[in-house]
Amino acid sequence: LQLGTLLRRGELDALFARVGWINQHDPEQRYLGDGEAILRARLQRDPGNLDHLYPLALAQALQRKADAAALTLSEITRLDPGNANAFLGLGFVQLYRFLPWAATPPLEQAALLDPSNATLRTLRAVAAALRFDLAKAHSLIAR
């Protein structure tokens, strides 16, 4: 739940430092599958609970379950439309799935909500490059 809160806030440095620490103590990463099962059970009782959806998306992404993470993040963006970090996460997962066209709308929405986010600019440039829109990629990098 704490990791999900960090994701929701966009505190990625703290998030991945904590994930790295946990992974040193559980190198087989059993906590991810266990956490996912617990969160799914809790979401059956309260399907729209963002405090459970964010860590679920993170657990899915860390297990490389990109399709499931994309579905969860899509639900999160529907329920938390003012949070740029939700759209950033969805865009990232879509890029991981090599779907730059699917990544573009959430990344553009994140840009509207938080235009100064440096990570966002990089992800938008990657999406443009993967769409072979090299002029757009260059303009995003050159800023």
Side-chain angles (χ1 to χ4, degrees), residues 7 22 41 43 46 68 72 83 85 96 102-103 107 110 124 135-137 139:
L7 176 63
I22 293 169
L43 285 164
D46 188 7
T72 301
N83 188 343
N85 299 314
Y96 179 82
L107 293 175
R124 289 175 67 210
K136 173 83 171 185
S139 72

Side-chain angles (χ1 to χ4, degrees), residues 61 65-67 69-70 73 88-98:
K65 295 180 178 179
D67 293 343
L73 285 161
L88 182 78
L90 178 56
F92 178 83
V93 168
Q94 298 295 30
L95 287 174
Y96 179 82
R97 296 170 68 207
F98 289 99

Side-chain angles (χ1 to χ4, degrees), residues 55 62 73 77 109 112 116:
L62 291 173
L73 285 161
T77 60
Q109 183 62 31
L112 291 173
S116 64

Side-chain angles (χ1 to χ4, degrees), residues 95 100 104 123-134 136-138 140:
L95 287 174
T104 299
L123 292 177
R124 289 175 67 210
V126 169
L130 289 174
R131 290 190 323 269
F132 298 106
D133 186 349
L134 300 180
K136 173 83 171 185
H138 182 267
L140 288 165

Side-chain angles (χ1 to χ4, degrees), residues 3 17-27 31:
L3 296 176
R18 184 77 175 139
V19 167
W21 184 87
I22 293 169
N23 286 346
Q24 287 179 339
H25 293 85
D26 183 4
Y31 73 97

